[in-house]
């Protein structure tokens, strides 16, 4: 089974005329059916299967390029006949891009503020408790430094 017969099967379900969109859809259906075709189960020759799939994909890509060219031509005609429409569309895209970038800047500023707060917290001197209230907790060792302040040590927290 080749791409053309697969394409004909796809065209039976979807009529393809001179419309590029219909041709594009038929080419896609042919690609899909060539990949899931039950006839491939009976075939042992992998090169035949590969050639069929390659032909279908080539046709699909060719029709896709034709469709792209068609839309680019229509876009060119629109740009010549209605330049204000193209400018308005461009302005809308720029506004959307500016909004996206402003949101990104706000997220970065929030992150920077959080980091600055963390740095300030690290730079502030830590205050040790002046006296221990109650007995030490289980697993806690208490020692006094040279000034007589308690040093609390949790051996389980060390690595």
């Amino acid at each position: 089974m080749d791409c053309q017969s697969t394409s004909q099967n796809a065209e039976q379900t979807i009529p393809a005329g001179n419309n590029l969109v219909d041709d594009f859809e038929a080419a896609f259906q042919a690609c899909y059916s060539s990949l899931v075709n039950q006839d491939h189960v009976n075939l042992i020759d992998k090169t035949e299967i590969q050639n069929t799939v390659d032909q279908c994909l080539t046709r699909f890509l060719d029709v896709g390029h034709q469709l792209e060219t068609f839309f680019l031509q229509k876009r060119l005609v629109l740009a010549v006949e209605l330049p204000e429409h193209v400018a308005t569309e461009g302005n809308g895209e720029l506004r959307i891009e500016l909004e996206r970038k402003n949101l990104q800047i706000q997220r970065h500023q929030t992150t920077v503020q959080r980091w600055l707060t963390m740095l300030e917290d690290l730079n502030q001197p830590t205050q040790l408790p002046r006296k221990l209230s109650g007995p030490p907790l289980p697993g806690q060792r208490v020692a006094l430094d040279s000034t007589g302040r308690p040093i609390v040590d949790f051996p389980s927290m060390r690595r």
Side-chain angles (χ1 to χ4, degrees):
M1 173 176 256
D2 63 352
C3 181
Q4 291 177 352
S5 62
T6 306
S7 176
Q8 290 171 355
N9 291 342
E11 289 174 2
Q12 290 173 358
T13 58
I14 300 170
N18 292 331
N19 190 351
L20 283 175
V21 176
D22 290 340
D23 291 344
F24 185 71
E25 188 173 357
F28 175 76
Q29 289 291 334
C31 286
Y32 183 75
S33 41
S34 70
L35 292 172
V36 297
N37 193 352
Q38 290 296 324
D39 293 338
H40 292 317
V41 175
N42 299 332
L43 293 176
I44 298 175
D45 188 18
K46 291 184 180 182
T47 57
E48 183 180 342
I49 297 170
Q50 184 175 3
N51 289 339
T52 302
V53 171
D54 285 344
Q55 288 174 356
C56 290
L57 287 174
T58 302
R59 183 179 184 295
F60 175 71
L61 291 174
D62 288 342
V63 175
H65 288 299
Q66 290 173 6
L67 190 61
E68 180 183 23
T69 303
F70 172 78
F71 282 119
L72 288 174
Q73 288 173 347
K74 291 298 180 182
R75 175 87 175 159
L76 181 63
V77 169
L78 182 67
V80 169
E81 291 180 2
L82 298 171
E84 67 276 357
H85 177 71
V86 175
T88 304
E89 187 178 280
N91 287 341
E93 290 173 0
L94 288 175
R95 280 192 190 104
I96 291 170
E97 185 68 18
L98 279 174
E99 289 175 14
R100 187 185 69 80
K101 292 202 178 203
N102 283 336
L103 287 173
Q104 189 174 16
I105 289 171
Q106 288 175 354
R107 285 192 303 262
H108 285 304
Q109 286 175 341
T110 303
T111 303
V112 167
Q113 287 298 325
R114 188 175 62 232
W115 289 347
L116 287 173
T117 304
M118 291 163 78
L119 282 174
E120 287 174 3
D121 290 345
L122 288 174
N123 289 333
Q124 292 178 356
T126 57
Q127 296 178 357
L128 294 174
R130 293 196 176 147
K131 63 178 183 174
L132 289 176
S133 59
L137 297 172
Q140 179 182 20
R141 293 187 300 193
V142 178
L144 299 177
D145 65 2
S146 61
T147 62
R149 287 192 238 167
I151 300 173
V152 180
D153 185 24
F154 288 95
S156 60
M157 303 279 286
R158 288 191 208 156
R159 295 199 181 231

